[in-house]
Amino acid sequence: MSTKAEKDAMKLAAKKKAAERAAKVKRLIERLRLHKDVTKAARVSMVKGGIIVDVINVVQAKLAQAAGFTAVCPLDFAIKDLEARKMSRLVDPRVTQAIANAVLLPVVAKVTIGHDIEADVAIEVGANFIDESEFAIKSSATVYMETKSDLSVPFICGISSLADCLKRLKEGAKILRIKQPAAVRVDATVVKLNEILADLAKYQDDVEREKWLKVNRLDESDFANLKGATDLSCLPLYAYGGICTPRDVALMMAMKCSGVFVDNSVFASDNPRKRLRAMVQAVKCYDDMEEMIKLSMGTGERFV
């Protein structure tokens, strides 16, 4: 006959199992809601003003969720190893599916530029955004998908100029990301942002604008919001490249980016949990120097 302690232990185990089942059902409902019912505009607003991070496993995805990141991008390799690979393609769907089932954050899937079948597969296994990524191609071909608007999830595209921005927006992209090679330094990202700002300044001149639109085969009526714009807030532009500290995040937000992408090297910090939380907080208090000093302390500087 079971003792009272054993019965209590059995009851506790049963309660724990029931709670785990309930949590699993809740996650499933949330994933289904995010996957099926949320509009593209609502999904974009979910990640705006936040940080999207590359993750290579469920552990990193859960760390990102706990820290307050707005989305995760599954990879099956570390960004620092990208150059050693001859080509990066769509991540194994099992990786995307496992991460999508483990966290409530939106999931961004990287696919080859122009590869609509990869996009369809990624959506079916749980992706909430598609990143038509230059990391997934090693040729000069840049024929982007023209069916972005037909698919059920928002598209993210890499850009390197204002012309790129407008072309990708016209194709249906909802988020733009600075196009950078792997393991670039943050100063290269600043250079790219300043180049786009310079293009935007030229766009404000009537003569220059007319020439520029003609050369790039674009119609002014599609981009009325750019007229009179003086900073990057007029574009759904996210910074990417070398962003790995709270100070880097603050710099990008000060330059009026809509958010930032960071690669998974941030998890190699001495203190990844503290660093991730500090980077999230830097999004909101980038212009508060006292707070930024606090956020910069003890976040771990070493990377592997």
Side-chain angles (χ1 to χ4, degrees), residues 185-207:
R185 286 170 35 142
V186 71
D187 55 324
T189 301
V190 174
V191 168
K192 284 283 181 75
L193 291 171
N194 282 327
E195 286 173 354
I196 294 170
L197 271 172
D199 284 344
L200 193 58
K202 290 178 184 176
Y203 189 89
Q204 307 313 317
D205 180 272
D206 292 340
V207 176

Side-chain angles (χ1 to χ4, degrees), residues 232-247:
L232 297 174
S233 63
C234 62
L235 295 165
L237 182 59
Y238 283 58
Y240 178 81
I243 301 167
C244 57
T245 71
R247 284 96 63 196

Side-chain angles (χ1 to χ4, degrees), residues 12-295:
L12 187 62
K15 282 183 180 179
K16 186 177 179 181
K17 196 170 182 180
E20 287 173 352
R21 280 199 303 268
K24 189 174 181 180
V25 170
K26 183 181 177 182
R27 282 198 300 271
L28 179 59
I29 290 170
E30 284 294 314
R31 293 299 314 167
L32 288 172
R33 180 190 67 80
L34 188 60
H35 190 52
K36 299 292 185 184
D37 300 332
V38 180
T39 65
K40 291 182 184 180
R43 292 186 199 203
V44 171
S45 69
M46 284 178 184
V47 300
K48 186 175 182 181
I51 307 177
I52 300 171
V53 62
D54 295 330
V55 297
I56 60 173
N57 53 44
V58 168
V59 173
Q60 289 185 354
K62 287 184 174 180
L63 280 173
Q65 178 170 264
F69 280 60
T70 53
V72 292
C73 182
L75 299 176
D76 51 6
F77 61 93
I79 284 291
K80 69 184 180 65
D81 299 327
L82 180 61
E83 295 303 329
R85 295 162 63 101
K86 297 302 180 186
M87 180 174 283
S88 167
R89 301 300 298 272
L90 175 69
V91 171
D92 187 326
R94 291 174 298 180
V95 177
T96 301
Q97 199 165 42
I99 289 171
N101 290 335
V103 297
L104 297 180
L105 293 177
V107 172
V108 178
K110 281 183 167 65
V111 305
T112 307
I113 292 174
H115 205 317
D116 54 348
I117 301 300
E118 284 191 354
D120 289 338
V121 169
I123 293 168
E124 285 303 312
V125 297
N128 309 112
F129 291 81
I130 296 296
D131 186 337
E132 203 171 3
S133 175
E134 68 277 6
F135 291 144
I137 196 162
K138 288 289 183 181
S139 74
S140 59
T142 53
V143 182
Y144 286 80
M145 281 181 242
E146 295 181 354
T147 57
K148 295 180 179 66
S149 299
D150 298 334
L151 296 180
S152 60
V153 304
F155 266 70
I156 300 167
C157 287
I159 57 87
S160 56
S161 66
L162 185 60
D164 279 352
C165 290
L166 304 193
K167 287 173 184 176
R168 301 292 83 83
L169 289 173
K170 192 170 184 179
E171 289 167 354
K174 300 299 180 185
I175 292 176
L176 305 170
R177 167 184 49 73
I178 292 294
K179 188 187 292 185
Q180 297 277 28
V184 73
R185 286 170 35 142
V186 71
D187 55 324
T189 301
V190 174
V191 168
K192 284 283 181 75
L193 291 171
N194 282 327
E195 286 173 354
I196 294 170
L197 271 172
D199 284 344
L200 193 58
K202 290 178 184 176
Y203 189 89
Q204 307 313 317
D205 180 272
D206 292 340
V207 176
E208 287 293 326
R209 179 169 60 252
E210 188 175 343
K211 289 180 185 176
W212 190 82
L213 289 167
K214 189 175 181 180
V215 167
N216 291 290
R217 298 178 182 179
L218 295 168
D219 187 346
E220 183 178 352
S221 62
D222 293 331
F223 310 105
N225 66 309
L226 295 188
K227 213 166 183 180
T230 57
D231 60 46
L232 297 174
S233 63
C234 62
L235 295 165
L237 182 59
Y238 283 58
Y240 178 81
I243 301 167
C244 57
T245 71
R247 284 96 63 196
D248 295 336
V249 172
L251 177 60
M252 299 305 133
M253 301 313 293
M255 294 187 75
K256 304 300 182 185
C257 291
S258 294
V260 299
F261 282 78
V262 299
D263 67 53
N264 67 317
S265 64
V266 293
F267 295 102
S269 162
D270 291 344
N271 192 339
R273 285 181 174 83
K274 186 169 183 179
R275 176 176 290 233
L276 295 174
R277 287 195 300 269
M279 290 175 77
V280 169
Q281 291 169 36
V283 170
K284 304 297 181 186
C285 60
Y286 65 89
D287 55 352
D288 184 336
M289 190 50 59
E290 285 188 14
E291 192 62 27
M292 284 306 305
I293 291 170
K294 292 177 186 175
L295 293 177

